[in-house]
Amino acid sequence: MNFTVETVQARVPVTILTPDCDMDGSNYRDVIAKAQELQSGGTRYLLLDVQHVRYMSSAGLVALHSMAKLMAGEGSPDPTAGWDAYHAVERDRAGGAPAQFKLLNPQPRVEKLLEMAGLSTFFAVYKDRAEALAAF
Amino acid sequence: MVAPISMIYSLHLEAELKNLGTIRDFVEEAAVHLQANPTAIPNVVLAVDEMATNIIEHGYRGQPGTIEVEVYAQNEALIVQIRDRAPLFDPTQVPPPDLSLPIDDRPAGGLGIYLARKVMDDIQHRVTADNGNELTLIKNHIIQLSSGGPS
């Protein structure tokens, strides 16, 4: 799995991470590892551009949640925890969308998955890059 | 009288996470050939992917093995069967979440199983003659018989 990484100075410095393929059980750990690497390097605000992600499974959702936790400085939950990870997502959802992590350009299948999992309002989702950057 | 089934599309491959994309592409192409409603196919692909991921990650647990996927149509239903030789596990016995309970009181279980159940009409498990697992995923009213139907 390859990524494009770009840092843009908005109100705060925002790292834009763009994976180049689908997010599923075969690579979601790679996505989390990349986010951990960025966080260790000082990234605190992350915009995940999923324009190339045609398909995402529940493993991808766990990766999204892990990235949101990492940016919030809370560490990454166990990605293999299944419902426990989902519990954590739901607990966090009650607190509103995480401010430090946003999602850009989800394709229709990804949007539908977020909706089915009840997460379409948990992650702040944008279709416009400038609007997303301005929201940090 | 049992309804006839269509041509059966079959895939047999190593149970490795890197093969998930191949499984998804196979199911999608088979469903298209069987004239499934295009708007419903992504949900079937999601369910198969989630089940295959569970088999590879939690069934085989990194041990070598195989996974077999068959797709066919029967009447207006699209049916996907997944067979493996991992230790026996029946995902249909995982209790569905009781959404009336507080989140932390809900029974543990796989997120993938939850999503697969949500998008399919029925999921059945049986133990095969050679002591393997066979999952049957059924999506009703998805085959467009009016346009000629599967053959």
Side-chain angles (χ1 to χ4, degrees):
Chain A
M1 183 175 213
N2 294 312
F3 302 90
T4 302
V5 181
E6 179 187 1
T7 300
V8 174
Q9 183 62 46
R11 188 180 61 81
V12 293
V14 178
T15 299
I16 304 172
L17 179 64
T18 308
D20 72 342
C21 63
D22 297 346
M23 288 170 60
D24 65 7
S26 71
N27 60 22
Y28 73 107
R29 290 185 178 89
D30 298 338
V31 182
I32 296 171
K34 187 66 183 178
Q36 284 171 327
E37 176 192 317
L38 292 171
Q39 197 250 4
S40 297
T43 292
R44 295 294 177 269
Y45 298 91
L46 183 63
L47 178 61
L48 184 72
D49 187 344
V50 289
Q51 62 175 302
H52 303 304
V53 179
R54 295 172 303 125
Y55 173 83
M56 185 182 291
S57 68
S58 62
L61 293 178
V62 172
L64 297 186
H65 179 244
S66 296
M67 285 189 277
K69 300 288 280 184
L70 280 166
M71 289 304 113
E74 297 176 29
S76 175
D78 177 4
T80 64
W83 258 109
D84 291 338
Y86 196 58
H87 290 167
V89 174
E90 290 213 3
R91 275 195 296 271
D92 293 346
R93 186 174 57 178
Q100 302 93 335
F101 175 76
K102 301 181 193 304
L103 206 53
L104 179 64
N105 290 326
Q107 295 199 22
R109 281 172 85 155
V110 175
E111 281 189 303
K112 188 168 183 194
L113 179 71
L114 289 168
E115 190 181 316
M116 281 194 300
L119 296 173
S120 52
T121 56
F122 174 65
F123 296 113
V125 178
Y126 295 86
K127 297 285 178 65
D128 181 79
R129 175 179 149 130
E131 191 183 337
L133 289 170
F136 279 97
Chain B
M1 179 178 160
V2 178
I5 64 172
S6 70
M7 173 181 174
I8 298 174
Y9 293 82
S10 184
L11 176 72
H12 190 105
L13 72 182
E14 298 299 313
E16 297 179 6
L17 291 170
K18 69 179 183 184
N19 287 331
L20 287 172
T22 302
I23 293 172
R24 291 197 299 270
D25 290 345
F26 165 75
V27 172
E28 184 156 0
E29 286 170 20
V32 168
H33 282 295
L34 291 166
Q35 300 176 23
N37 183 339
T39 61
I41 292 174
N43 280 346
V44 176
V45 171
L46 174 68
V48 174
D49 178 274
E50 297 290 357
M51 288 303 184
T53 302
N54 267 352
I55 290 166
I56 297 167
E57 278 219 307
H58 305 299
Y60 283 114
R61 295 178 179 271
Q63 299 301 308
T66 59
I67 189 164
E68 183 183 343
V69 183
E70 286 187 350
V71 185
Y72 59 92
Q74 189 168 29
N75 282 340
E76 295 179 22
L78 184 72
I79 298 169
V80 183
Q81 290 190 312
I82 308 172
R83 297 186 194 92
D84 67 73
R85 297 298 307 275
L88 296 180
F89 173 66
D90 181 357
T92 67
Q93 296 304 306
V94 175
D98 181 349
L99 300 179
S100 67
L101 292 174
I103 288 166
D104 287 333
D105 292 340
R106 291 178 199 170
L111 173 56
I113 295 170
Y114 168 74
L115 285 172
R117 279 175 158 171
K118 192 164 182 167
V119 299
M120 299 303 287
D121 291 313
D122 192 16
I123 298 177
Q124 301 165 5
H125 174 269
R126 80 174 184 95
V127 179
T128 61
D130 57 354
N131 210 36
N133 295 285
E134 181 183 85
L135 281 174
T136 302
L137 287 66
I138 301 169
K139 187 70 178 175
N140 293 319
H141 310 302
I142 184 177
I143 302 298
Q144 299 168 317
L145 293 176
S146 59
S147 59
S151 57

